[in-house]
Amino acid sequence: MKKSNENIVEDCFYKHNIPMYYYRDNFGVEIDFVSKMNNKICLIEVKSKSGRTKSSDKIMESNKDTIDSIIKLSSQNIGCVGNKRTYPYYLVSFLFK
């Protein structure tokens, strides 16, 4: 059985006792994981390719006061643009330390 990238990330969060939530609204906007980092809400998207974070961008735009950052996990290298950070999958264990 092949695990999806989301399942691998979820398993890692679970093993580190990190509370995680899923979000989807009536318009199809979907966030893979919503969690807290440094007591601030963080949106986490898991991408199988180098996709954009359209859903997170949309949610962030309308909730700037309550959402601190967007994290994209993918096979890409580390990157940062404004409040968006990109990390490779293998660093997920270190995100909340």
Side-chain angles (χ1 to χ4, degrees):
M1 180 173 147
K2 183 179 175 185
K3 280 191 169 183
S4 72
N5 296 328
E6 288 92 351
N7 290 39
I8 293 167
V9 170
E10 181 180 14
D11 185 53
C12 187
F13 283 6
Y14 177 78
K15 288 177 179 172
H16 285 88
N17 293 322
I18 299 168
M20 64 201 132
Y21 304 92
Y22 170 79
Y23 175 82
R24 183 175 180 165
D25 69 11
N26 294 334
F27 303 104
V29 175
E30 178 180 61
I31 306 296
D32 296 325
F33 300 102
V34 179
S35 194
K36 281 192 173 184
M37 180 181 281
N38 299 323
N39 290 323
K40 295 183 180 179
I41 296 173
C42 179
L43 306 178
I44 302 164
E45 289 206 50
V46 181
K47 299 291 184 184
S48 59
K49 298 182 182 178
S50 60
R52 294 178 47 208
T53 56
K54 291 184 268 185
S55 293
S56 291
D57 293 340
K58 189 179 270 191
I59 299 292
M60 180 79 150
E61 185 63 34
S62 60
N63 296 285
K64 289 180 183 174
D65 296 338
T66 55
I67 298 172
D68 184 56
S69 61
I70 297 170
I71 293 178
K72 179 171 79 171
L73 297 167
S74 70
S75 59
Q76 295 177 299
N77 288 325
I78 296 172
C80 183
V81 177
N83 61 350
K84 289 191 227 177
R85 295 175 294 217
T86 301
Y87 296 103
Y89 302 120
Y90 66 85
L91 289 179
V92 70
S93 294
F94 303 100
L95 287 179
F96 294 90
K97 297 217 178 232

